[in-house]
């Protein structure tokens, strides 16, 4: 390996409270040659707060591919670079992947300076099982992709972590209820900030609440996973479908789930369920 190569530091920054930054990150931000920031104006507030004068360059989703090449060239020339996003850990629903991948391909040393992460912080605050979880970040805007992901989440047994903006919260809650049925959910708003709030209840209760109250701030949704059905499915299809109905799904969605579990056509489950057959 070329000894003249620099090093990339992936640095976590506060998700709200400026005190949520490690001593190591502060040292690295002061010592590197350059800070690659998602929004230099946003990061400047953090640097000013800690009297850090290190030069910055913008690295965001709109210039990620081209800028990653430029930054790799700088690193190959011996520069040390700190990668930061607006908040939390770079690469988690934020730019970073292309640069990190490029560094590994060029055999440039990469290290991480861990710290705050909104998803994990909200998960441990939620009271919902954190033993196994699936991080989805923001759902896609495109209707078909969104529908496909929501459909796959209906059978996800792990706790689900989603991010959402205030103007889309109610739409997302209604879509979750439509595709997943009734579930317990913990909604964390403005995590680590002045108006931090954790609200818990069923999806139906959260829809009712936010339909009647102002929706402000950034949100993390922690949703309980689907109820597990034993792999040795009940011989009687009616009992199989009733399991999902009791878990909160509509009859139609419960029949779809049972059909998928058993690897048979939905029409077969429909005939057995509506006809009272054993299946």
């Amino acid at each position: 390996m070329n000894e003249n190569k620099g090093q990339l530091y992936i640095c976590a920054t506060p998700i709200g409270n400026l005190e949520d930054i490690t001593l190591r990150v502060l040292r690295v931000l002061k010592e590197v040659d350059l800070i690659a920031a998602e929004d230099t104006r946003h990061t400047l507030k953090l640097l000013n707060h800690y009297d850090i004068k290190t030069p910055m360059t913008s690295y965001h989703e709109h210039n990620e591919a081209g800028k990653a090449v430029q930054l790799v060239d700088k690193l190959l020339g011996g520069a040390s670079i700190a990668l930061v996003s607006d908040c939390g850990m770079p690469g988690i629903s934020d730019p970073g992947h292309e640069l990190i991948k490029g560094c590994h391909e060029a055999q440039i040393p990469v290290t991480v300076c861990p710290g705050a992460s909104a998803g994990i912080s909200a998960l441990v605050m939620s009271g919902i099982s954190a033993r196994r979880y699936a991080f989805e970040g923001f759902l896609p805007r495109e209707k078909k992709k969104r529908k496909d992901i929501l459909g796959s989440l209906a059978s996800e047994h792990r706790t689900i972590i989603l991010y959402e903006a205030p103007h889309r919260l109610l739409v997302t809650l209604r879509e979750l209820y439509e595709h997943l049925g009734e579930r317990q959910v913990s909604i964390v708003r403005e995590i680590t900030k002045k108006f931090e709030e954790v609200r818990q209840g069923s999806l139906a209760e959260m829809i009712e609440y936010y339909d009647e109250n102002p929706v402000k701030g950034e949100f993390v949704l922690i949703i309980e996973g689907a109820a597990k059905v034993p792999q040795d499915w009940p011989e009687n299809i009616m009992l199989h479908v009733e399991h999902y109905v009791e878990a909160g799904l509509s009859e139609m969605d419960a029949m779809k789930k049972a059909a998928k579990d058993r690897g048979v056509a939905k029409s077969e489950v429909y005939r057995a369920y509506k006809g009272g057959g054993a299946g």
Side-chain angles (χ1 to χ4, degrees), residues 143-157:
K143 288 185 178 180
K144 186 179 186 307
K145 290 182 180 178
R146 190 177 179 93
K147 184 177 180 181
D148 289 345
I149 289 178
L150 285 166
S152 69
L153 291 179
S155 57
E156 176 58 72
H157 297 307

Side-chain angles (χ1 to χ4, degrees), residues 210-228:
Y210 287 109
D211 200 28
E212 298 174 353
N213 293 276
V215 181
K216 296 180 180 179
E218 298 298 319
F219 293 84
V220 183
L221 281 62
I222 309 296
I223 307 148
E224 70 172 352
K228 291 186 178 180

Side-chain angles (χ1 to χ4, degrees), residues 9-253:
Y9 297 84
I10 307 167
C11 296
T13 53
I15 54 180
N17 192 316
L18 291 180
E19 293 180 355
D20 293 331
I21 192 165
T22 69
L23 295 174
R24 183 183 177 206
V25 169
L26 289 176
R27 177 181 58 79
V28 167
L29 292 178
K30 291 176 182 178
E31 293 179 354
V32 292
D33 298 305
L34 184 67
I35 298 171
E38 182 180 4
D39 185 335
T40 55
R41 296 166 300 179
H42 184 92
T43 300
L44 184 60
K45 297 176 184 177
L46 176 67
L47 300 188
N48 286 341
H49 184 78
Y50 287 104
D51 194 29
I52 297 172
K53 307 297 184 182
T54 307
M56 286 189 289
T57 187
S58 63
Y59 177 77
H60 48 73
E61 62 177 333
H62 303 297
N63 73 353
E64 184 170 9
K67 196 58 175 284
V69 174
Q70 296 176 29
L71 294 174
V72 166
D73 284 342
K74 289 182 180 294
L75 287 157
L76 286 171
S80 57
I81 298 177
L83 172 65
V84 301
S85 59
D86 286 349
C87 59
M89 183 65 72
I92 305 296
S93 289
D94 283 322
H97 170 75
E98 291 294 334
L99 176 56
I100 297 165
K101 178 182 176 184
C103 286
H104 286 302
E105 290 174 348
Q107 297 186 343
I108 295 167
V110 177
T111 191
V112 65
C113 302
S117 173
I120 299 302
S121 300
L123 175 63
V124 298
M125 289 175 67
S126 71
I128 296 175
S129 174
R131 184 173 180 273
R132 300 178 69 236
Y133 57 88
F135 176 80
E136 285 291 336
F138 289 97
L139 292 172
R141 304 277 190 90
E142 199 274 310
K143 288 185 178 180
K144 186 179 186 307
K145 290 182 180 178
R146 190 177 179 93
K147 184 177 180 181
D148 289 345
I149 289 178
L150 285 166
S152 69
L153 291 179
S155 57
E156 176 58 72
H157 297 307
R158 294 170 295 178
T159 298
I160 300 163
I161 305 174
L162 295 179
Y163 291 162
E164 196 49 277
H167 60 283
R168 291 194 300 270
L169 179 66
L170 263 174
V171 170
T172 296
L173 287 173
R174 289 180 176 125
E175 288 178 330
L176 287 167
Y177 184 79
E178 176 186 351
H179 287 84
L180 277 62
E182 190 63 284
R183 298 278 182 91
Q184 288 298 302
V185 60
S186 177
I187 299 180
V188 184
R189 181 175 75 90
E190 293 290 87
I191 191 166
T192 78
K193 300 178 184 177
K194 181 178 180 180
F195 297 105
E196 178 183 270
E197 176 185 60
V198 182
R199 189 163 294 278
Q200 298 167 313
S202 67
L203 280 171
E205 290 170 339
M206 295 299 99
I207 291 169
E208 181 180 0
Y209 176 82
Y210 287 109
D211 200 28
E212 298 174 353
N213 293 276
V215 181
K216 296 180 180 179
E218 298 298 319
F219 293 84
V220 183
L221 281 62
I222 309 296
I223 307 148
E224 70 172 352
K228 291 186 178 180
V229 178
Q231 292 301 307
D232 51 340
W233 313 118
E235 182 179 352
N236 189 309
I237 287 180
M238 289 185 67
L239 295 178
H240 196 157
V241 175
E242 284 299 328
H243 170 86
Y244 286 121
V245 171
E246 291 172 4
L249 295 183
S250 67
E251 282 192 354
M252 190 58 67
D253 287 339

